[in-house]
Amino acid sequence: MNSKLAKIIIVFLLAFFTGVNFVVFPALGTAFTDSSLFGLLSSQFGNLFIPQVICIIISCLGAPFLVNKWGPKVVLAIGLLLMIISTGVLWTLQFFINDSSLLFPVLMILVAFTGSGFGLCITTLNPLAASLFENNKSSAILILQFLVGLGTSTAPLMMNLIGNVRNWMYVPGCIFILVSMAFTAFLLLKLEKETFFELPGHFKIPPKLWLFFVTIVLYGCTEGTFGSFGAIILKNQGLDNNKASLGLSLFWGGMALNRLLFGIFSKNKDLSYLFLFSPLIVAGLLLFLLLYPNVNSIVLMMFLIGFFMGSIFPGSIGWGTVEFPTLSVVVSGYLMAANQVGTGIITNVLGSLSNQTNIIFQFLIVCMILICLLLFYLKRNSKIKEAF
């Protein structure tokens, strides 16, 4: 298959399944901590994600150079295979669940495989999507990230649908089959090693790109706060378990909706100032929560915070891709790694501060103001109008 339509369909389908695969381990948290199944301690379950974050950062930083050497098809194939192996082996653990001494080390390895596969895939898919829409690179990346986000919400939904936690094996089993089918279709594609993926013979990271990196580390701190500790923070604000879960779902839903709308409307509308002011709007919403912690308004605020945060990360990748066309894969890899660095930092720090809601909100407000200032600084003599 070499038609552009086939490439577009399969590339965006792979983005969705990459998102699904990425959260299979968090989605199975209840099974992993169930004493009658895997029996992991809460601390062990938390430690599972250390290799995932490390492997994502390493693979995101290494992927640009691998794509430059081998081309996007080989790197994507390796990433997909790592994720397929991870879910396949995870499914087989149902037969060895009584051998508790091996379970945790095996799970650590599988999580590392998932993280490495995710990093290789997503770093390559971002510029690949941009290359298929030469005149709408940023929109393509925003919609691709929307599909990744949609995928991350699917695995927990699958866990809810199967009902009994003892049926956990159906989740990795279904994902294994679906990703294997998408992988087979992908192998039929002809993806050449185009100039879009080639790096200059000798290059150094431009100072402006380092500023993008710092911006996304700060963004990763904010996203990681809500992603990892959102439910705990909401419960500290007076919400019950159901409303806390609803607030967290609305946060991710708002983020996904923003990416979709930005991807659709930035083709014809100038959304650059909405993008630039989004962090400031988020800071304002957080300040409102800090000053008026009203239980009835928190859930709505979570949706709005997610909505106005939605375009910051993929929009920065799209903008950076337009700004540095010869380094498009480096932009994707380094900013993906930056997001994980921010997430990794905040999840380690917040472990002891998760009950200090006011301090957390104050820190996030400062992060958002700094992001806004950095984006306006980056706007000077830039190609932001082409990106949005």
Side-chain angles (χ1 to χ4, degrees):
M1 289 189 291
N2 204 29
S3 74
K4 187 175 181 179
L5 180 60
K7 289 180 182 178
I8 290 169
I9 290 170
I10 291 174
V11 164
F12 283 92
L13 190 65
L14 288 177
F16 172 75
F17 283 129
T18 299
V20 174
N21 210 111
F22 177 58
V23 294
V24 64
F25 286 91
L28 292 173
T30 51
F32 290 140
T33 53
D34 191 305
S35 58
S36 64
L37 295 172
F38 288 85
L40 298 186
L41 301 173
S42 295
S43 58
Q44 286 181 306
F45 180 64
N47 290 338
L48 269 184
F49 302 102
I50 295 173
Q52 177 168 294
V53 171
I54 292 170
C55 288
I56 290 174
I57 292 170
I58 293 170
S59 57
C60 285
L61 294 176
F65 306 99
L66 296 176
V67 172
N68 181 55
K69 185 175 182 179
W70 296 331
K73 186 164 186 179
V74 173
V75 176
L76 263 176
I78 294 170
L80 288 167
L81 276 174
L82 286 171
M83 291 193 294
I84 288 168
I85 291 168
S86 179
T87 48
V89 175
L90 180 58
W91 178 83
T92 65
L93 290 185
Q94 63 181 299
F95 305 112
F96 308 100
I97 208 161
N98 293 323
D99 191 354
S100 56
S101 61
L102 285 175
L103 278 179
F104 185 65
V106 170
L107 286 173
M108 292 278 277
I109 294 168
L110 297 184
V111 168
F113 271 43
T114 297
S116 300
F118 176 81
L120 292 175
C121 285
I122 207 68
T123 302
T124 310
L125 285 169
N126 281 320
L128 187 55
S131 71
L132 295 171
F133 294 88
E134 196 63 34
N135 298 322
N136 294 296
K137 294 175 184 175
S138 186
S139 294
I141 291 172
L142 280 156
I143 292 173
L144 182 121
Q145 288 294 327
F146 159 72
L147 289 169
V148 174
L150 192 64
T152 58
S153 65
T154 301
L157 183 62
M158 291 171 69
M159 193 63 188
N160 285 333
L161 287 174
I162 64 167
N164 193 330
V165 72
R166 291 186 172 279
N167 295 327
W168 65 269
M169 70 288 297
Y170 292 116
V171 173
C174 289
I175 294 172
F176 172 79
I177 293 167
L178 291 170
V179 178
S180 296
M181 289 168 64
F183 177 68
T184 304
F186 165 74
L187 291 178
L188 300 175
L189 281 184
K190 291 182 180 178
L191 291 178
E192 305 299 330
K193 186 188 171 186
E194 301 172 33
T195 53
F196 197 82
F197 299 98
E198 289 180 3
L199 297 176
H202 299 282
F203 75 93
K204 66 176 185 176
I205 306 299
K208 204 169 186 178
L209 184 51
W210 284 116
L211 286 179
F212 273 105
F213 185 91
V214 173
T215 302
I216 299 306
V217 169
L218 292 171
Y219 168 84
C221 288
T222 310
E223 186 186 283
T225 298
F226 287 112
S228 301
F229 294 93
I232 295 171
I233 291 169
L234 291 175
K235 284 172 70 176
N236 290 340
Q237 293 293 92
L239 273 66
D240 59 28
N241 285 332
N242 289 337
K243 282 196 174 179
S245 297
L246 175 63
L248 196 55
S249 297
L250 286 173
F251 170 78
W252 292 115
M255 190 175 282
L257 179 63
N258 179 282
R259 290 173 180 178
L260 179 63
L261 294 177
F262 244 87
I264 293 170
F265 291 109
S266 62
K267 297 176 185 177
N268 305 313
K269 307 286 184 183
D270 179 6
L271 300 179
S272 57
Y273 279 97
L274 178 58
F275 171 78
L276 291 168
F277 278 109
S278 288
L280 205 56
I281 296 171
V282 174
L285 292 166
L286 288 166
L287 183 61
F288 180 85
L289 279 181
L290 189 62
L291 297 176
Y292 306 102
N294 188 308
V295 173
N296 296 321
S297 64
I298 290 174
V299 172
L300 173 62
M301 289 294 112
M302 287 297 291
F303 172 78
L304 293 174
I305 288 168
F307 183 83
F308 287 104
M309 278 181 62
S311 61
I312 298 172
F313 174 51
S316 296
I317 295 176
W319 180 11
T321 300
V322 172
E323 204 72 40
F324 308 102
T326 60
L327 300 173
S328 59
V329 191
V330 172
V331 170
S332 175
Y334 274 51
L335 295 193
M336 287 298 304
N339 190 24
Q340 290 299 311
V341 168
T343 300
I345 290 169
I346 204 67
T347 48
N348 279 290
V349 171
L350 279 185
S352 57
L353 291 174
S354 58
N355 293 321
Q356 306 294 321
T357 308
N358 287 355
I359 294 173
I360 293 168
F361 281 172
Q362 289 166 11
F363 171 74
L364 296 183
I365 289 167
V366 172
C367 282
M368 283 293 138
I369 292 171
L370 288 174
I371 289 170
C372 188
L373 293 173
L374 284 166
L375 291 179
F376 269 96
Y377 183 82
L378 287 165
K379 175 184 173 288
R380 300 183 313 162
N381 302 316
S382 73
K383 298 177 183 177
I384 189 172
K385 298 287 185 182
E386 293 178 36
F388 302 105

